[in-house]
Amino acid sequence: MRVDVISIFPEYFAPLDVSLIGKARERGILDVHLHQLRDWARDVHRTVDDTPYGGGPGMVMKPEPWGEAIDAVLAADPAAQPRIIVPTPSGVPFTQKLAMEYAAEPWLLFTPARYEGIDSRVMAEYGARMRVDEVSVGDYVLAGGEVAVLVMVEAVGRLLPGVLGNAHSAVDDSFAPGAMENLLEGPVYTKPPEWRGHEVPEILLSGHHGKIARWRRDEALRRTARNRLELLAALDPETLDKHDRKLLSELGFPA
Ligand code: JEW
């Protein structure tokens, strides 16, 4: 997969050199191209922002540098078109489902903004020719789109074939459609069996694989009920067995 990023802070993407994503790049699974937006500004000050039409606080990113920068990236392969992804707090939610969709694309172009965002005509211009997604990584306001891009590249990158070992494939992730039907994962433990007086739950040391699976499911249900009531409410009752119903009713959530 090819990933292009146009930003006034290309150095913000140093984390993509490290760890899982860094390895994927070394292996040639992920081909990342970073671009400095200011390289396409025309004036001596390399200006990329201006005051908003209609008034109001802050500055808006000018359309011309974005248009020229995006055109230059598109020219890298005139036969193909990237999926353009614009991080914004007013976009559609970035979910595991969208991460899987992006992981199936050959080419992504991220356009992280600063200030109050990008002049909307840039999205209109490219949206008429190709897919342009305005995407939010969560209901909080960042100072710019760079961190949102890091979030999305990591979530997408780990889904690419060959990035995760077979040992822990992505198919049983909490939010993978079809996985443990949208239950949160329960707690995890490793050695030693006792640490600062805290013991590992005995069942996990028992070797009873059936009982361990049941315990893990109980913990997943408990954690989902405690932390994410809306996920609990969205569970398909058909996927709940007798034991699940009993536990949930004990927790005060009648079927
Ligand atoms: C996010 C990109 C660029 C995404 C998520 N746009 C905008 C904006 C900003 C502050 C106030 C109002 C609008 C800052 N900002 C961004 C914020 C993405 C930019 C500028 C972003 N939260 N925040 N999920």
Side-chain angles (χ1 to χ4, degrees):
M1 167 185 279
R2 173 172 174 149
V3 170
D4 285 80
V5 184
I6 305 169
S7 165
I8 60 168
F9 297 124
E11 67 275 20
Y12 219 109
F13 299 91
L16 300 181
D17 294 342
V18 180
S19 188
L20 194 80
I21 299 298
K23 288 249 167 57
R25 293 173 70 186
E26 279 171 24
R27 292 188 195 140
I29 299 168
L30 190 61
D31 180 21
V32 176
H33 297 252
L34 303 174
H35 311 272
Q36 170 55 265
L37 178 68
R38 290 191 195 278
D39 290 350
W40 284 277
R42 293 282 178 96
D43 65 312
V44 278
H45 302 291
R46 308 220 292 168
T47 308
V48 294
D49 64 316
D50 205 338
T51 55
Y53 275 125
M59 299 292 269
V60 172
M61 296 192 94
K62 294 164 64 58
E64 304 95 322
W66 280 109
E68 300 214 15
I70 294 168
D71 287 348
V73 169
L74 298 182
D77 185 353
Q81 286 187 334
R83 185 100 171 242
I84 300 182
I85 303 160
V86 186
T88 163
S90 38
V92 298
F94 182 67
T95 58
Q96 191 64 22
K97 180 167 166 274
L98 199 52
M100 292 170 80
E101 215 179 294
Y102 291 162
E105 297 276 353
W107 189 9
L108 303 176
L109 167 55
F110 291 95
T111 60
R114 280 271 148 176
Y115 313 104
E116 306 293 310
I118 304 173
D119 185 307
S120 207
R121 292 171 293 181
V122 174
M123 285 67 91
E125 164 74 7
Y126 294 96
R129 293 196 247 154
M130 61 198 80
R131 290 196 75 161
V132 176
D133 296 356
E134 295 185 72
V135 177
S136 165
V137 296
D139 289 340
Y140 39 78
V141 182
L142 301 169
E146 293 80 10
V147 168
V149 171
L150 289 172
V151 165
M152 290 188 269
V153 170
E154 184 155 313
V156 170
R158 67 185 284 285
L159 296 177
L160 299 176
V163 171
L164 290 186
N166 290 355
H168 58 306
S169 85
V171 293
D172 49 78
D173 288 340
S174 247
F175 293 101
M180 227 161 153
E181 350 89 73
N182 267 352
L183 290 180
L184 300 183
E185 307 270 356
V188 296
Y189 302 89
T190 185
K191 280 138 319 254
E194 194 221 293
W195 177 75
R196 297 190 181 182
H198 302 270
E199 303 221 329
V200 172
E202 205 177 295
I203 185 76
L204 296 178
L205 313 176
S206 71
H208 277 110
H209 300 296
K211 286 187 182 174
I212 290 171
R214 184 62 250 178
W215 180 87
R216 286 188 168 147
R217 187 165 172 87
D218 287 358
E219 291 302 309
L221 285 162
R222 282 182 206 285
R223 197 173 267 196
T224 306
R226 189 188 322 127
N227 294 347
R228 299 291 299 274
L229 261 184
E230 82 286 11
L231 292 183
L232 195 72
L235 285 182
D236 177 0
E238 297 295 300
T239 66
L240 300 176
D241 64 22
K242 254 172 59 185
H243 190 118
D244 295 336
R245 293 170 205 280
K246 179 163 172 287
L247 175 74
L248 289 174
S249 98
E250 283 166 9
L251 293 174
F253 303 99

